[in-house]
Amino acid sequence: MATGNLTLNEEKIEVRRRALTSSVAMSIVMVSFAMVFATLMLGYFAYRFTSEVWPPMGMQRVDLGLPTVSTVLILLSSLTYFLSESSFLQKNSKKFKAYFWLTFALGIVFMAVQSWLWFSLKKNGLFVGSGVFASMIYGFTWIHAAHVVGGIVALLCLIPSVRNKREEVSTSLWLKNIGMYWHFLGIVWVIMYFSLFVY
Amino acid sequence: MAFYEQHIHPKPTTFLSKYIFSYDHKVIGKQFLWYGIFFLFVGGLMALMIRWTLAFPGQPFPVIGQFLFPESGGAVPPDTYAMLFTMHGTIMIFYAITPILIGAFGNFCIPLMIGARDMAFPLLNMLSFHIAALSGIILLGSLFTPLGAAAGGWTSYPTLSTLIGSPGVGQTFWSLAIFVLGVSSIMGAVNYITTIITLRAPGMGYFDMPLTIWGLGLTAVLNAIFLPVLGSGVMLLIFDRVFGTTFFLAGAAATTGTGDPILFQHVFWIFGHPEVYILILPAWGIVSDLLSFFARKPAFASRATALSMTAITILSTVVYGHHMFTTQMSPLLTQTFMTLTMTISIPSAIFFANWLGTIWKGSIRFHTPMLFSLGVVFVFGLGGLTGLYLATVTTDLYLHDTYFVVGHFHYTMAASVLLGGFAAVYFWMPKMFGTMLNEFWGKVHFWITMMGLNGVFFGMMLVGYGGMHRRIYNPFIYEFTQKLIPLNTFTTWSAIIMGLSQIIFVVNFVHAVFFKKEKATANPWEVGTLEWTIPSPAPHYNFKDIPVVKCGPHEYGNPNLTDGRDFQYQTEELV
Ligand code: HEM
Ligand SMILES: [Cu+2]
């Protein structure tokens, strides 16, 4: 994309600077997303610390099984994303693709397990309207899930890269920026897992 | 300084690509300007209906009352009154002032004043406007829902805003509209910050940026950090209303297992206090620049001004509790919030003194933009000072939820931001549309607006001090408020005068945009910032060659200047 008679070296610098620009933007976006979940957590801890017994009203804790599976899945997907990105940087196209599709699949399975979680909560008598404890379990997991769906859509944006339709520099840029978001979703889920379900 | 050089895009040719789906930051700025002016009109009309009801309870609103409220013979009915002040506040804050100051002038000024060809992400910029338009449609649509639009106040506190307080779908629409608008503003903020960081012209350090850019940049930072907080809050409100969660339903979590309405107030004001600075910072920046431009003097201690604005931005994040003194907060907390709020006075005082220092002994040119800027100095002084009474716990317990608060925030927001916005419109008009607004009518507009506005907002403070509460359909059913009727009538007449005087502006503006033959010169105000180095109106690529910045934005009255000019361009070496 360099203009006119830039030498090769200058061209590289130019590309790196464009990359820097998009990372600046992506970092700001991440701050915004972090504030969304920080607000939810603030609400959670406000309720949690003003309540003598938790969960309130003699409600049952949520069985840890499914949330634990979700945690493992989302952490694995972060790992595979990382492996995919580093394979790409090492120019191992085969591994890059394999790990990418694995990440994608793990994202989908994560969503499936979340839906299963909501279904089983309902079956065990914890309804959306059963008080603030249920509100938080459902509301926060919904919001997180909506962001995961966004993340899956973002992964779809990488498909041109997977099909070699994109320049190398620009793929590494996409990988980096989408990666920030994908890992962020994992971190948020882990925090939610420990605060909402374990603690 | 710029990370890379942007390309010159081909000139758009079709109507759609030129005016509707334009990537050009200048066109998007103008779109936001029209959007804001439209909502200013809608919100202003609502304000007049509110005022009419307070001065002449039960009497039909002139001309359009018969059409709007036929079942009550043209008078505003009580439930509509609540809807009106809710929508008035919402529209003015989120749909008028924000689009004009941040959407229009943020978009227009940032690239031009830092020497860039466009925003860092033009597509994102375009989407940001279209999403804002969608949000506006949702909000206006809510007016036509069966039970009417939201009526729980612009703060939409539960339980007023839960299904118990407002069963209609209007409140849900309201929450959705705010959420969507928040997305749009965050997109804008990301764009602004990135642009300011990465696209400043070579040679332009942060302190060489005009203070307008400082104000807009700090606003964008607050937007990116705090709008998501409101977004979360209204999303949970939507969950409560639509899916039956109980986040904000009354009853303490410990005893009943339901939620807590006060939590929403916390979330709202964690966002809300920064929001008031989001609104004022661009106006501050613009006024700081214009005072220097028209006093023909360097901005007094402009670095200190920039740093005070930054300090205020940071402090504004930790004072929100002053809106909640009456919610049975612990005294330890109220006093902490009081002290923190008072701390803001220090940078504010520095900042305000710098304004006075700038105009002190200047050779002031009283053009319309300068009049409006001086107006801001006056009204913001009053608004800021009244804040101190509200920030003091002991006085706030009396003043909270009275018209004194309404007067305070109208002085700070409505008056200061509106006048700042007008100053900006008059000032950048030649660069935006290529013609000047009429100076004479601009001055008439200023003086009438200024008188009307002080009548309205000072009247509000007086009746508030007299004990009149806000948001009451007919406050005069109480005996002690009946003495306040004449003052309310005066306030209403002032509002009517102020409202009517805006017609002068609209005519002037429409004439200048569409009909005026006489073109403006490239630099009619004799100002040295980068946007005045290019023709008026700015060409679609802004700068043919990216300028190189060699001095600051406020170089006036330098005795070494020889060629009959008293200013120099930022592209010139300091003489
Ligand atoms: C300069 C120092 C300022 C101080 C010390 C201050 C203090 C306060 C306090 C304590 C309140 C709460 C009053 C109550 O509800 O009882 C308040 C309300 C308000 N202030 Fe300020 N303020 C300041 C500047 C501003 C500015 C610059 C703006 C806007 C641009 C602003 C906008 C508002 C608004 C919108 C409200 C009322 C919101 C509502 O309840 O609907 N204030 N202010
Ligand atoms: Cu405040």
Side-chain angles (χ1 to χ4, degrees):
Chain A
M1 294 279 260
T3 40
N5 43 13
L6 294 180
T7 66
L8 200 64
N9 199 19
E10 277 172 343
E11 198 172 327
K12 264 205 177 127
I13 293 173
E14 165 115 0
V15 168
R16 294 220 350 236
R17 289 182 159 179
R18 276 171 195 277
L20 210 55
T21 306
S22 71
S23 310
V24 168
M26 199 60 197
S27 315
I28 304 163
V29 173
M30 292 331 299
V31 170
S32 294
F33 277 121
M35 287 307 287
V36 169
F37 291 101
T39 309
L40 300 183
M41 282 298 134
L42 172 91
Y44 169 75
F45 283 111
Y47 287 128
R48 185 79 163 86
F49 289 138
T50 51
S51 171
E52 274 151 36
V53 280
W54 194 262
M57 285 205 311
M59 274 180 232
Q60 293 296 304
R61 279 182 167 280
V62 176
D63 192 48
L64 275 183
L66 286 172
T68 310
V69 174
S70 296
T71 312
V72 172
L73 285 173
I74 204 160
L75 286 179
L76 268 181
S77 83
S78 254
L79 180 69
T80 54
Y81 192 98
F82 170 76
L83 291 172
S84 164
E85 188 178 349
S86 49
S87 316
F88 176 80
L89 295 177
Q90 288 156 11
K91 310 217 184 297
N92 187 336
S93 161
K94 221 170 168 178
K95 265 187 162 174
F96 159 57
K97 285 174 195 174
Y99 280 124
F100 170 79
W101 286 117
L102 199 55
T103 312
F104 189 80
L106 282 166
I108 302 273
V109 178
F110 174 84
M111 281 307 299
V113 175
Q114 291 300 80
S115 320
W116 186 4
L117 172 67
W118 296 322
F119 188 70
S120 82
L121 286 177
K122 208 164 122 193
K123 218 175 67 190
N124 292 331
L126 192 70
F127 299 106
V128 177
S130 340
V132 76
F133 178 66
S135 299
M136 285 196 285
I137 302 273
Y138 281 103
F140 294 5
T141 50
W142 286 340
I143 292 179
H144 181 263
H147 285 80
V148 173
V149 171
I152 291 173
V153 174
L155 287 181
L156 291 178
C157 299
L158 281 170
I159 286 185
S161 302
V162 175
R163 300 175 61 208
N164 301 326
K165 293 261 163 64
R166 208 179 253 151
E167 284 174 64
E168 211 171 290
V169 260
S170 115
T171 292
S172 69
L173 206 61
W174 280 91
L175 272 171
K176 187 173 160 210
N177 289 337
I178 292 176
M180 273 197 221
Y181 183 63
W182 194 255
H183 298 311
F184 166 80
L185 292 176
I187 296 168
V188 168
W189 176 258
V190 171
I191 294 173
M192 278 173 44
Y193 173 69
F194 282 107
S195 52
L196 283 182
F197 296 99
V198 176
Y199 170 56
Chain B
M1 204 71 59
F3 283 24
Y4 58 92
E5 191 178 318
Q6 292 164 300
H7 304 286
I8 293 186
H9 292 291
K11 198 177 166 79
T13 45
T14 62
F15 178 82
L16 280 183
S17 66
K18 230 184 194 159
Y19 298 111
I20 311 288
F21 297 103
S22 172
Y23 288 71
D24 185 342
H25 73 99
K26 297 181 290 301
V27 178
I28 297 170
K30 286 180 206 166
Q31 290 173 328
F32 270 116
L33 187 62
W34 288 111
Y35 179 97
I37 290 177
F38 167 73
F39 275 110
L40 209 54
F41 173 75
V42 178
L45 204 62
M46 289 173 166
L48 289 180
M49 292 184 204
I50 298 171
R51 282 305 332 163
W52 183 268
T53 313
L54 287 177
F56 315 107
Q59 292 181 32
F61 189 77
V63 191
I64 53 175
Q66 302 291 349
F67 298 102
L68 293 178
F69 323 110
E71 66 284 357
S72 60
V76 176
D79 55 337
T80 309
Y81 181 79
M83 206 179 85
L84 282 174
F85 68 66
T86 301
M87 294 300 275
H88 163 72
T90 307
I91 287 179
M92 285 307 200
I93 290 174
F94 295 107
Y95 294 84
I97 286 177
T98 308
I100 292 179
L101 267 295
I102 305 174
F105 289 103
N107 260 311
F108 188 78
C109 294
I110 290 177
L112 281 174
M113 290 186 113
I114 65 173
R117 291 208 170 109
D118 206 326
M119 285 286 176
F121 306 106
L123 173 66
L124 190 70
N125 208 10
M126 177 183 95
L127 287 177
S128 152
F129 176 74
H130 286 262
I131 292 179
L134 174 71
S135 163
I137 292 170
I138 298 176
L139 191 82
L140 288 178
S142 76
L143 286 169
F144 303 98
T145 54
L147 292 182
W154 81 279
T155 49
S156 93
Y157 285 175
T159 13
L160 289 176
S161 58
T162 57
L163 285 178
I164 300 166
S166 28
V169 76
Q171 181 68 45
T172 311
F173 273 34
W174 181 95
S175 315
L176 198 65
I178 293 293
F179 184 85
V180 173
L181 194 73
V183 173
S184 150
S185 291
I186 292 170
M187 287 160 70
V190 170
N191 219 342
Y192 294 2
I193 302 173
T194 313
T195 307
I196 292 174
I197 293 178
T198 63
L199 288 174
R200 274 167 298 129
M204 184 180 260
Y206 286 107
F207 285 110
D208 299 321
M209 299 190 309
L211 292 166
T212 304
I213 305 298
W214 272 88
L216 287 164
L218 291 168
T219 285
V221 171
L222 285 178
N223 257 336
I225 299 177
F226 289 103
L227 271 172
V229 177
L230 178 69
S232 279
V234 294
M235 190 41 81
L236 297 187
L237 193 61
I238 293 176
F239 285 178
D240 271 11
R241 297 181 57 85
V242 180
F243 301 119
T245 55
T246 60
F247 287 105
F248 302 125
L249 287 192
T255 51
T256 60
T258 53
D260 184 357
I262 300 293
L263 182 68
F264 184 86
Q265 296 194 20
H266 282 281
V267 171
F268 186 87
W269 288 115
I270 288 175
F271 149 81
H273 188 81
E275 166 72 9
V276 305
Y277 284 92
I278 287 170
L279 297 171
I280 195 72
L281 276 163
W284 278 353
I286 290 167
V287 168
S288 305
D289 274 340
L290 294 192
L291 288 178
S292 153
F293 294 165
F294 288 94
R296 313 308 289 173
K297 265 184 68 192
F300 186 85
S302 68
R303 270 179 199 227
T305 306
L307 294 178
S308 308
M309 295 209 295
T310 314
I312 294 171
T313 304
I314 295 168
L315 283 174
S316 77
T317 62
V318 290
V319 301
Y320 78 90
H322 62 215
H323 295 275
M324 298 172 61
F325 287 157
T326 55
T327 54
Q328 303 190 354
M329 244 183 197
S330 89
L332 182 67
L333 265 183
T334 56
Q335 281 163 30
T336 310
F337 277 122
M338 171 168 97
T339 313
L340 285 167
T341 307
M342 295 297 179
T343 315
I344 297 195
S345 312
I346 301 168
S348 307
I350 297 177
F351 176 86
F352 202 81
N354 286 352
W355 277 359
L356 300 181
T358 302
I359 46 179
W360 181 255
K361 292 193 172 171
S363 32
I364 300 179
R365 297 180 180 173
F366 289 99
H367 295 305
T368 316
M370 184 60 168
L371 288 182
F372 277 100
S373 305
L374 291 171
V376 174
V377 176
F378 178 75
V379 294
F380 188 74
L382 265 176
L385 284 178
T386 52
L388 298 178
Y389 297 91
L390 298 173
T392 311
V393 181
T394 40
T395 41
D396 184 63
L397 292 183
Y398 173 73
L399 293 172
H400 176 68
D401 249 346
T402 65
Y403 253 88
F404 190 84
V405 177
V406 180
H408 156 72
F409 70 71
H410 278 87
Y411 260 114
T412 46
M413 291 208 299
S416 308
V417 181
L418 196 72
L419 293 186
F422 278 132
V425 173
Y426 280 96
F427 181 69
W428 276 293
M429 189 73 188
K431 206 48 70 181
M432 272 187 148
F433 295 99
T435 51
M436 307 276 284
L437 284 165
N438 183 298
E439 274 288 300
F440 174 76
W441 288 110
K443 285 177 185 165
V444 173
H445 172 218
F446 168 75
W447 284 111
I448 303 182
T449 305
M450 188 71 182
M451 282 187 310
L453 163 163
N454 278 292
V456 182
F457 302 148
F458 216 93
M460 285 177 170
M461 290 207 290
L462 291 179
V463 296
Y465 189 71
M468 184 172 126
H469 270 235
R470 65 195 282 202
R471 293 173 174 167
I472 297 181
Y473 176 60
N474 184 356
F476 311 114
I477 49 174
Y478 304 105
E479 208 184 308
F480 74 98
T481 44
Q482 280 167 6
K483 292 205 180 68
L484 301 173
I485 292 179
L487 210 49
N488 272 293
T489 317
F490 165 76
T491 306
T492 297
W493 280 114
S494 306
I496 292 172
I497 291 172
M498 179 179 165
L500 289 180
S501 73
Q502 304 317 307
I503 296 174
I504 302 176
F505 170 75
V506 171
V507 173
N508 197 351
F509 184 74
V510 170
H511 172 74
V513 173
F514 295 111
F515 303 108
K516 201 165 179 171
K517 293 274 166 330
E518 195 186 329
K519 295 287 167 238
T521 56
N523 188 3
W525 310 112
E526 301 188 295
V527 167
T529 47
L530 295 174
E531 79 273 28
W532 302 103
T533 60
I534 55 173
S536 299
H540 79 274
Y541 47 80
N542 295 358
F543 300 92
K544 199 171 270 156
D545 301 303
I546 294 296
V548 178
V549 171
K550 302 201 177 105
C551 69
H554 308 113
E555 296 301 339
Y556 295 93
N558 187 334
N560 297 336
L561 281 167
T562 46
D563 54 354
R565 273 198 285 159
D566 69 341
F567 73 103
Q568 59 182 112
Y569 287 106
Q570 280 197 275
T571 49
E572 295 168 337
E573 205 76 61
L574 198 62
V575 292

